[in-house]
Amino acid sequence: MTKWITKIMVLGVVAVLFGQCTDRTDEAAQFFLKGNVQLKKREYREAIRYYTEALEKKPDFADAFNNRGLAKFRNDDREGALADYTQAIQADPDFGAAYLNRAEARLETGDAAGSLADLQRIEADYRDSTFFQTRLGDTYVRLNNPAQAQVAYDRALQLDPTNVEALTNRGALYYNQKAYEQAEADIRRALQLNPKQDAALNNLSLLLARREQYAEALTYVNQALTVQAGQPYYVNNKAYLLLMLNRDAEALPLLQQSLRRDDQNAWAHRNLGLYYLRQKQPDKALPELRRAEQLDPSVDQLYYYLGQAEQASGNQAAACEAWRRGDIAGDESARTARAKNCG
């Protein structure tokens, strides 16, 4: 399988208020409104251009910084978005939506602690926002605090039971805690509300794969890829399913594609190692499996496959050690292999 995916949201501000207007502030407002039109149309480069024009007319225009950050974020410019949100906050230190958006940008750029600090800054005003609680849950997940994440997601769904992102992300949390029934309930509810929720489609494929329903799982990950073509985790998940369906030749280019897009994905390295194991090439499998261990030793069945590769390479002692580590981590396949092969 692959990494379980959460879905993010970003809050936009599309209103503008000025006190006493001048020619330049009036021009800034017009450019800002044009940017909002393009933002709604998902024409992000055009939106950025108009917001930039607005800022040339009014350099302290906090709303324009915030919305330009939003356009950059949606155009996959995380660092640019982060800089604009910070500028919005500098222009207006009480701009709650900018803090909320910067929290997401920080989360996406690996600064979970900074994200939490931003959220705590606005908690008094936003605690009853389902969007705020969802983002707070996401942040606690990244900080490896599942108990607090659960509280936040539960609160988000109390505030709005139709919050698809909260359902998707709470489902991910349940899955990682091996609460599979609750995970499936959340993910199917999310898909009832939005059948094109790509993260939910991908995650349902993982649930089905866990039950060895690989063909059905493949249909869902394919749907996810129609929404988010080339997403590296979805591509990796598809490759894994193809391996399980004995379609190894189709799986290899997908694994290579996934790793070209994100070479830090431990699951993709594990799956490439599995591919080489299936091709009876343990010398190529071992480096991939060891790389997966360096990146994330909690990856499912990693030590089981690592033990298989060590055994196939003629190193029984290393195989038993890998299975021992897997046994300690709760991997049933590693436990069985250890009992069978290591006395």
Side-chain angles (χ1 to χ4, degrees):
M1 288 183 282
T2 187
K3 185 176 181 180
W4 189 275
I5 302 296
T6 58
K7 191 68 177 178
I8 62 169
M9 71 194 86
V10 182
L11 183 65
V13 174
V14 294
V16 56
L17 296 173
F18 291 124
Q20 184 177 1
C21 288
T22 66
D23 288 344
R24 291 184 69 80
T25 56
D26 185 62
E27 289 177 15
Q30 293 304 314
F31 282 120
F32 177 80
L33 294 172
K34 288 178 181 179
N36 291 345
V37 171
Q38 297 304 313
L39 185 62
K40 289 181 179 179
K41 292 167 62 177
R42 301 184 180 181
E43 296 289 343
Y44 300 127
R45 290 183 181 178
E46 279 296 288
I48 291 166
R49 183 172 70 84
Y50 281 123
Y51 292 135
T52 301
E53 292 275 7
L55 287 162
E56 288 176 358
K57 303 296 182 184
K58 183 173 171 56
D60 61 347
F61 196 168
D63 293 82
F65 276 121
N66 181 67
N67 281 22
R68 191 174 71 173
L70 178 58
K72 288 179 179 179
F73 191 95
R74 291 179 175 171
N75 203 41
D76 294 324
D77 180 4
R78 303 301 196 240
E79 294 291 346
L82 183 60
D84 274 352
Y85 295 144
T86 298
Q87 289 272 58
I89 290 166
Q90 288 173 351
D92 181 357
D94 295 321
F95 196 167
Y99 282 102
L100 193 55
N101 288 343
R102 190 173 71 171
E104 189 59 63
R106 283 179 158 177
L107 199 61
E108 288 298 294
T109 54
D111 183 11
S115 178
L116 182 61
D118 277 347
L119 294 172
Q120 290 173 334
R121 170 67 173 72
I122 60 172
E123 186 168 10
D125 293 329
Y126 278 77
R127 66 173 74 251
D128 291 330
S129 161
T130 187
F131 299 104
F132 171 86
Q133 293 294 342
T134 303
R135 189 154 305 150
L136 186 61
D138 298 344
T139 301
Y140 279 126
V141 166
R142 298 285 181 89
L143 291 169
N144 197 29
N145 189 337
Q148 287 296 105
Q150 178 83 51
V151 170
Y153 289 140
D154 288 350
R155 179 59 178 154
L157 289 163
Q158 287 171 359
L159 291 164
D160 180 6
T162 66
N163 184 333
V164 173
E165 286 79 11
L167 284 164
T168 300
N169 297 357
R170 190 176 70 175
L173 184 67
Y174 280 136
Y175 184 92
N176 289 331
Q177 294 174 325
K178 304 187 187 304
Y180 300 117
E181 289 185 10
Q182 294 97 318
E184 184 165 358
D186 273 358
I187 212 67
R188 288 194 181 277
R189 175 59 178 155
L191 288 171
Q192 286 177 350
L193 293 165
N194 181 5
K196 293 185 177 181
Q197 169 64 282
D198 54 292
L201 289 163
N202 176 75
N203 293 350
L204 182 56
S205 78
L206 296 181
L207 284 162
L208 293 168
R210 185 181 170 275
R211 297 203 293 259
E212 300 184 0
Q213 296 173 244
Y214 301 121
E216 186 179 358
L218 186 60
T219 66
Y220 284 102
V221 78
N222 279 334
Q223 289 179 57
L225 284 164
T226 63
V227 179
Q228 189 85 284
Q231 209 281 351
Y233 294 126
Y234 304 171
V235 170
N236 174 53
N237 185 25
K238 180 175 181 177
Y240 171 79
L241 295 171
L242 291 171
L243 287 174
M244 295 300 98
L245 291 167
N246 298 313
R247 294 161 60 179
D248 295 23
E250 296 172 66
L252 179 59
L254 293 178
L255 290 168
Q256 293 169 334
Q257 176 189 341
S258 179
L259 284 167
R260 280 196 302 272
R261 289 176 175 262
D262 182 2
D263 66 358
Q264 300 300 301
N265 183 358
W267 297 85
H269 284 287
R270 188 212 68 171
N271 289 344
L272 186 55
L274 174 57
Y275 167 82
Y276 286 126
L277 267 178
R278 291 169 62 88
Q279 302 306 306
K280 302 188 185 306
Q281 295 178 287
D283 57 320
K284 291 185 177 180
L286 278 169
E288 297 299 333
L289 295 167
R290 288 169 180 161
R291 178 60 176 150
E293 182 183 18
Q294 288 175 348
L295 291 168
D296 184 359
S298 70
V299 167
D300 286 349
Q301 293 190 298
L302 171 59
Y303 289 107
Y304 170 65
Y305 294 131
L306 183 57
Q308 283 192 320
E310 295 284 12
Q311 186 179 57
S313 298
N315 193 338
Q316 188 64 29
C320 289
E321 174 57 21
W323 289 328
R324 184 190 69 81
R325 295 201 301 274
D327 188 356
I328 292 171
D331 181 346
E332 290 294 334
S333 298
R335 180 174 295 121
T336 300
R338 183 186 184 197
K340 180 179 179 180
N341 295 284
C342 302

